Amino acid sequence: MDDLLVVSHLSPQAPGGAGAVYLGHLLVEPRRHAPGLADLTEAEAQRVGVWCTRAAGALREAGGAEHVYAAVIGDNVPHLHVHLLPRYPGTPRAYWWQRVDAWPDAPRGGQSEAAAMVERLRLHYSDETPPP
């Protein structure tokens, strides 16, 4: 998204993806290696915050989410990834939060569906001014 960080969609080719992923699962991460939130520079922290906010807004407005969860896990990869997980209308309460992508009727897709989601979100981003 800028010189300090990247916003990307979880790849269907990611380990465990099995060719299909939960649509709208975004990752906000610094370009520089930083193991966790406490390792960010002030500028990186500001950009992570700005882009988490913008991406969550795009997921609601252009992606159809009714709510967006954010999490930093860091157990498998020692590099900061802020996971943004949309909750879509109709998701049963039993699948909210950590299980949102386990709902059998959750929207999933392969490379073309993920690319279409990214394009909808990108069009939303293009309407906004760049972060400071």
Side-chain angles (χ1 to χ4, degrees):
M1 302 310 319
D2 64 28
D3 60 327
L4 293 180
L5 66 98
V6 174
V7 178
S8 61
H9 194 287
L10 187 65
S11 172
Q13 283 75 43
V21 293
Y22 184 63
L23 294 176
H25 183 164
L26 302 182
L27 302 170
V28 178
E29 62 183 296
R31 290 185 187 272
R32 182 184 67 84
H33 174 68
L37 288 169
D39 303 297
L40 295 175
T41 66
E42 178 104 4
E44 289 167 335
Q46 289 174 350
R47 297 284 175 85
V48 166
V50 166
W51 281 106
C52 281
T53 300
R54 288 184 176 183
L59 283 166
R60 281 196 327 214
E61 295 170 29
E66 66 181 3
H67 184 75
V68 179
Y69 300 106
V72 175
I73 304 161
D75 291 334
N76 292 325
V77 178
H79 179 74
L80 176 68
H81 298 86
V82 179
H83 294 257
L84 299 179
L85 290 159
R87 185 183 75 222
Y88 295 105
T91 303
R93 191 166 184 76
Y95 290 98
W96 287 15
W97 182 213
Q98 294 104 325
R99 299 191 64 226
V100 71
D101 60 348
W103 178 35
D105 293 333
R108 289 182 183 73
Q111 196 65 40
S112 63
E113 293 85 0
M117 171 66 79
V118 166
E119 186 57 26
R120 283 196 306 277
L121 300 176
R122 188 182 325 273
L123 289 172
H124 178 79
Y125 291 141
S126 68
D127 293 338
E128 298 184 7
T129 57

